[in-house]
Amino acid sequence: MNTEPSQDTTPPAEHWRSYGPLELHPILRHSMEAFNEHGYHGTSVRDIAGRVGVTVPALYYHYENKQALLATLLEASIKDVLDRCRAAAGEAGDDPLARICGMVESIVLYMAHRQRLAFLDTEIRSLEPRNRARYVALRDYLEHMLLDTVETGRAKGVFTTPFPADAVRSVLVMCQGVANWFRADGPLTAEEVAERHVLLCLGTLGHPGAVTGDPALPSGRASAPGGSAPRTSG
């Protein structure tokens, strides 16, 4: 498993906010659904093969074992998050406030639009040591992206948290939690949830405007705390 995030040219601005149907090989799609329904340890290779409509040997032709299926799904998920986060940061430029707003928005949108795939992060405990180490390295890369931006913002007086590393971990836990509770038919769209989480995360990072109610967000993101954020295309 390659632990390096994609180093391709940063996608265009609209890419990281755009979500079409999830495209996965049928074996991976059915594995994802089975893991979500019954958990990794509650799912057998025979169960997955039956869902796909192939024999167990045919499934093994494509993937070595059940562990390879989980590792592949988790890698695909975290790399997509990283690519979108990098695109959001690239669009924002060098402004730490715009960068953190864009990265948080991108993460929350992913958790909502790719909920079933993102939810598999709860199965990290089921990864074997080598696969777990590789996945954690990718997740740490995401954390460091946010931390570097927060540290830059602290130096410029944009963020005031005295505990940047702890604050960033809290931000990530908050954002990743969206995959556990978001409902497409709920009262808020994915975009509205993302807007609210940007404000919540700014409060965690100690941005002065998050306390006064006037965060002076980058153009197009400002919304009053507690109110509905503007709807945008997904």
Side-chain angles (χ1 to χ4, degrees), residues 25 27 45-46 48-50 52-65 69:
H25 187 284
I27 292 176
V45 173
R46 187 172 298 280
I48 297 170
V52 180
V54 299
T55 64
V56 171
L59 189 148
Y60 282 139
Y61 176 81
H62 294 280
Y63 293 93
E64 181 180 2
N65 49 34
L69 291 167

Side-chain angles (χ1 to χ4, degrees), residues 142-158:
L142 177 64
E143 183 176 328
H144 292 152
M145 285 176 60
L146 293 169
L147 182 57
D148 286 346
T149 299
V150 171
E151 292 283 21
T152 299
R154 288 180 74 233
K156 295 182 177 182
V158 177

Side-chain angles (χ1 to χ4, degrees), residues 96-171:
L97 177 58
R99 286 176 70 88
I100 207 70
C101 287
M103 287 191 287
V104 168
E105 181 184 353
S106 72
I107 295 169
V108 175
L109 287 177
Y110 183 86
M111 297 300 152
H113 285 294
R114 293 289 185 258
Q115 189 174 14
R116 292 184 302 167
L117 192 55
F119 184 75
L120 288 183
D121 183 76
T122 58
E123 289 289 356
I124 185 176
R125 63 188 181 277
S126 301
L127 289 174
E128 294 173 356
R130 184 178 178 183
N131 290 331
R132 180 185 174 92
R134 290 173 175 174
Y135 179 73
V136 168
L138 286 165
R139 205 165 62 172
D140 286 348
Y141 187 96
L142 177 64
E143 183 176 328
H144 292 152
M145 285 176 60
L146 293 169
L147 182 57
D148 286 346
T149 299
V150 171
E151 292 283 21
T152 299
R154 288 180 74 233
K156 295 182 177 182
V158 177
F159 307 120
T160 62
T161 174
F163 311 112
D166 294 328
V168 166
R169 281 192 290 270
S170 296
V171 164

Side-chain angles (χ1 to χ4, degrees), residues 109 112-113 182-184 186-194 229-232:
L109 287 177
H113 285 294
F182 178 76
R183 294 294 179 268
L188 296 175
T189 66
E191 291 71 28
E192 289 171 328
V193 171
R231 290 175 181 263
T232 59

